[in-house]
Amino acid sequence: MTLLRRLGVGLAAAGALVGAASCRVLDPPNQPVETCVQSCTARARRQCTDGECERGCQFVLDRLVEREGDKVVACVARQARRCADPVWAECAAMIGPHLDGGPPAPPPPDDEW
């Protein structure tokens, strides 16, 4: 085998190894929305289409960042209604530290200056 041919075979083998090593098909998702969509399509298949899962997960992004996404998706999956914005909003408001409605509203401003 000539040196040039050996070099070509070596480069082809190296390229195949790099390509196989960079394949991330089986890696877990690294974005909160991707994780939420996967959970929603698996758990709320009866209520939500793939597009509705994507929209709902984007809608409750603040809850996903607070690591409450599983609870929100579980709530959506328990609902008898179709997967729509009001369902996602209700479920997002029914879990986590905001369940009590949050802090009281500030007092009205004084009219005197």
Side-chain angles (χ1 to χ4, degrees):
M1 211 184 229
T2 66
L3 179 62
L4 190 54
R5 184 164 186 158
R6 285 184 188 171
L7 184 60
V9 170
L11 287 176
L17 288 174
V18 169
S22 66
C23 182
R24 297 183 42 165
V25 173
L26 301 177
D27 284 351
N30 59 2
Q31 300 294 326
V33 174
E34 292 174 15
T35 304
C36 175
V37 170
Q38 287 180 353
S39 177
C40 176
T41 55
R43 296 168 69 183
R45 175 63 61 193
R46 183 175 55 95
Q47 293 87 351
C48 304
T49 64
D50 292 346
E52 290 170 330
C53 283
E54 176 76 31
R55 179 175 168 83
C57 289
Q58 292 286 343
F59 190 71
V60 296
L61 185 60
D62 58 332
R63 294 287 182 232
L64 302 182
V65 172
E66 294 172 350
R67 301 188 192 280
E68 300 285 348
D70 284 339
K71 294 176 184 174
V72 174
V73 171
C75 175
V76 170
R78 286 191 304 266
Q79 299 295 316
R81 299 180 289 171
R82 286 290 301 164
C83 185
D85 290 350
V87 172
W88 284 94
E90 183 178 304
C91 286
M94 301 284 288
I95 54 103
H98 309 287
L99 180 60
D100 64 356
D110 292 335
D111 287 340
E112 297 179 23
W113 287 85

